[in-house]
């Protein structure tokens, strides 16, 4: 998959293309449905399948006070998009000046002049152009002038609600990992590096690792069943674990951490730059304050026992499927 980070980087002979435009935060099941259709139509028309997205997310530029936390930071989003089979992603820099571009000028410059689009596929809530004045009806009308066909997709449903990035953020913030997994079509995960802890894990004889500060979306404070991948590529090692997200109130003054107890731990090479990927499976309980560290240690082992049963069931189901 080719990645173009400006209109100027797009080859003049890239087109014709079948295109979809949006933020695609999470690359969730709704996004995946549109992307699959874009790819299928591109193959049928002997065209290139292209996704257009914005960086940074427009909310971070236009409404920074909201402090939007992303489901998938840009590098993770690109990693997930590469697995879909798209031919290219156009990652447009988003600025206040760019935000002032009219819907007509956007379609002319991006879809017609640069991508030579023959079809554009969007969800029914699609908005674009200055002040979000453009919608799917505008897109269809502009397509008639500029030579592309617009196709609109109804929202993909999950239960009685439609799948959206905002609903996924809410589910993650509530610690509802089952709903999150259902809407994403995968486990929710975060990427980070190791942080130096306060030594409690070592002192109380439990093998733990802390994630470095993470500015994007994390689940609600509490204890979770997780997998932690250490390293990358063929050298990566994954440990099953139990992870606490919160302020560790048992030890006095609040000190936020994402701290994982590693099951069946064995020593691994670890530096402050070692990549970590943590996948969240299930929330076990909320964070709580214990009378003393030994009481906390007792609870940790209860949490571990529950996690061990969950992992054993996962292994059994995997073996049965194979």
């Amino acid at each position: 998959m080719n990645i173009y980070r400006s209109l100027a980087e797009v080859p003049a002979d890239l087109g014709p293309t079948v295109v979809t435009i949006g933020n695609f935060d999470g690359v969730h099941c709704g996004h995946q449905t549109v992307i699959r259709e874009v790819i299928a139509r591109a193959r049928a028309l002997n065209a290139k399948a292209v996704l257009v997205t914005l960086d940074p997310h427009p909310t971070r530029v236009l409404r920074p006070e909201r402090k939007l936390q992303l489901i998938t930071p840009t590098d993770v989003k690109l990693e997930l998009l590469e697995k879909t089979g798209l031919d290219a992603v156009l990652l447009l820099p988003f600025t206040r000046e760019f935000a002032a571009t009219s819907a007509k000028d956007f379609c002319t410059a991006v879809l017609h002049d640069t991508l030579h689009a023959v079809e554009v596929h969007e969800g029914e809530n699609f908005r674009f152009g200055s002040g979000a004045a453009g919608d799917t009806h505008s897109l269809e009308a502009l397509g008639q002038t500029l030579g592309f066909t617009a196709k609109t997709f109804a929202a993909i449903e999950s239960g009685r609600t439609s799948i959206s990035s905002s609903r996924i953020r809410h589910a993650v913030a509530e610690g509802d990992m089952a709903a999150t997994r259902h809407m994403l079509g995968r486990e929710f995960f975060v990427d980070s590096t190791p942080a130096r802890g306060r030594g409690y894990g070592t002192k109380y004889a439990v093998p733990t690792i802390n994630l470095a500060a993470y500015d994007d979306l994390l689940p609600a404070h509490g204890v979770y069943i997780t997998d932690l991948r250490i390293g990358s590529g063929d050298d990566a090692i994954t440990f099953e674990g139990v992870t606490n997200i919160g302020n560790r109130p048992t030890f006095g003054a609040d000190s936020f951490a994402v701290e994982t107890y590693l099951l069946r731990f064995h020593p691994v090479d670890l530096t402050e730059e070692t990549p970590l990927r943590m996948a969240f499976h299930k929330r076990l309980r909320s964070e709580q304050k214990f009378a003393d560290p030994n009481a906390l240690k007792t609870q940790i082992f209860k949490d571990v026992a529950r996690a061990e049963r969950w992992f054993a069931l996962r292994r059994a189901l995997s073996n049965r499927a194979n």
Side-chain angles (χ1 to χ4, degrees):
M1 182 182 81
N2 292 311
I3 300 172
Y4 307 116
R5 297 181 183 272
S6 70
L7 293 179
E9 289 187 11
V10 179
D13 60 352
L14 178 67
T17 64
V18 178
V19 180
T20 185
I21 308 160
N23 293 313
F24 298 97
D25 187 26
V27 194
H28 57 60
C29 290
H31 297 146
Q32 293 166 34
T33 297
V34 176
I35 291 169
R36 282 194 295 269
E37 182 64 13
V38 165
I39 293 170
R41 290 297 297 156
R43 301 296 177 262
L45 297 171
N46 194 28
K48 296 291 179 61
V50 179
L51 181 146
V52 179
T53 190
L54 307 169
D55 185 45
H57 193 289
T59 298
R60 289 187 163 177
V61 175
L62 301 177
R63 294 185 293 279
E65 70 280 359
R66 286 187 54 185
K67 301 185 184 302
L68 178 69
Q69 294 178 307
L70 297 176
I71 305 164
T72 46
T74 298
D75 57 344
V76 175
K77 179 166 67 175
L78 291 173
E79 175 189 334
L80 294 171
L81 290 174
E82 186 162 17
K83 295 176 181 178
T84 65
L86 285 163
D87 294 305
V89 168
L90 173 55
L91 191 66
L92 291 174
F94 189 84
T95 62
R96 287 187 175 274
E97 291 74 22
F98 183 88
T101 305
S102 70
K104 180 180 178 181
D105 287 348
F106 176 88
C107 286
T108 301
V110 178
L111 298 178
H112 180 268
D113 296 349
T114 303
L115 297 179
H116 313 293
V118 293
E119 287 186 5
V120 181
H121 296 232
E122 298 300 334
E124 61 185 4
N125 295 322
F126 177 64
R127 295 291 185 274
F128 69 111
S130 178
D135 58 15
T136 55
H137 300 294
S138 307
L139 186 68
E140 184 176 355
L142 287 164
Q144 292 174 359
T145 301
L146 297 172
F148 61 81
T149 301
K151 179 174 180 180
T152 301
F153 288 76
I156 305 300
E157 299 292 324
S158 174
R160 297 184 178 181
T161 61
S162 59
I163 296 173
S164 69
S165 298
S166 59
R167 287 194 171 95
I168 292 170
R169 289 189 200 102
H170 178 75
V172 174
E174 293 290 313
D176 188 346
M177 307 322 297
T180 299
R181 180 170 55 251
H182 187 67
M183 290 188 283
L184 284 177
R186 60 172 176 83
E187 303 290 354
F188 173 77
F189 64 80
V190 302
D191 287 350
S192 188
T193 52
R196 184 178 297 278
R198 293 192 293 181
Y200 299 133
T202 301
K203 183 176 180 181
Y204 293 101
V206 290
T208 63
I209 187 169
N210 288 27
L211 265 62
Y214 184 78
D215 294 330
D216 281 301
L217 190 63
L218 284 170
H221 287 199
V223 178
Y224 295 82
I225 298 172
T226 57
D227 279 310
L228 181 65
R229 189 186 75 189
I230 300 176
S232 59
D234 294 338
D235 296 328
I237 300 173
T238 298
F239 289 97
E240 297 168 347
V242 176
T243 297
N244 183 81
I245 300 177
N247 293 316
R248 300 182 289 189
T250 302
F251 297 100
D254 287 351
S255 176
F256 180 80
V258 180
E259 185 173 18
T260 300
Y261 172 88
L262 302 172
L263 308 183
R264 287 170 290 283
F265 175 76
H266 58 80
V268 295
D269 291 332
L270 200 66
T271 71
E272 292 183 356
E273 288 77 38
T274 301
L276 304 177
R277 172 165 290 182
M278 180 172 291
F280 293 86
H281 302 300
K282 179 182 175 64
R283 190 172 193 249
L284 292 176
R285 60 177 175 85
S286 60
E287 187 180 43
Q288 61 191 98
K289 183 175 182 177
F290 293 89
D292 55 58
N294 285 325
L296 171 60
K297 180 179 176 182
T298 298
Q299 181 60 51
I300 288 174
F301 287 119
K302 290 180 180 178
D303 297 334
V304 167
R306 290 181 62 190
E308 290 279 21
R309 290 192 292 270
W310 189 92
F311 285 120
L313 178 60
R314 182 177 70 170
R315 287 190 290 271
L317 292 173
S318 178
N319 291 337
R320 184 178 300 176
N322 295 330

